[in-house]
Amino acid sequence: MSTEITIHVIKVSGEFPEGRESAARFREEHLIPSLDLHDIVTVDFRGTFGVVAPWIKEAFRGLVTPNALERIRILSEDPTDGILVRRILTESTP
């Protein structure tokens, strides 16, 4: 049986996620632990404003979780968020 969780970025990083420290904290405190405990992790960007590419890059770069590309789903009003995450995960895959 697979387990799923949704991380609501607005709840953990606010309406305007920005900065390397914020992104690293998101990755270390929310994304990686969720991937360790669940088969599917949905990252919900809805309700945030202006999530900048550097924040997304820092939050998702270097994930060495097996099959991260298949296990992470993105919800966002901006389709480029999901495209960027997929590209980062593809580049990070060993």
Side-chain angles (χ1 to χ4, degrees):
M1 182 165 120
S2 68
T3 61
E4 297 185 31
I5 190 170
T6 298
I7 305 170
H8 299 274
V9 175
I10 195 168
K11 291 181 181 177
V12 298
S13 295
E15 289 182 80
F16 303 97
E18 60 182 341
R20 292 181 67 147
E21 289 180 19
S22 169
R25 189 169 44 254
F26 172 81
R27 181 184 62 242
E28 298 299 323
E29 294 179 7
H30 301 283
L31 189 55
I32 291 173
S34 294
L35 286 165
D36 287 344
L37 296 173
H38 303 280
D39 298 316
I40 302 295
V41 176
T42 299
V43 179
D44 187 350
F45 286 102
R46 295 176 299 180
T48 60
F49 299 99
V51 179
V52 293
W55 190 93
I56 293 174
K57 288 178 184 177
E58 183 67 30
F60 290 90
R61 179 179 291 136
L63 285 177
V64 292
T65 303
N67 302 318
L69 187 61
E70 293 83 25
R71 297 177 57 212
I72 295 174
R73 298 180 181 156
I74 302 298
L75 295 177
S76 178
E77 286 104 2
D78 183 349
T80 60
D81 292 342
I83 293 167
L84 181 57
V85 169
R86 291 189 66 78
R87 184 172 60 185
I88 292 165
L89 292 175
T90 299
E91 292 170 358
S92 296
T93 303

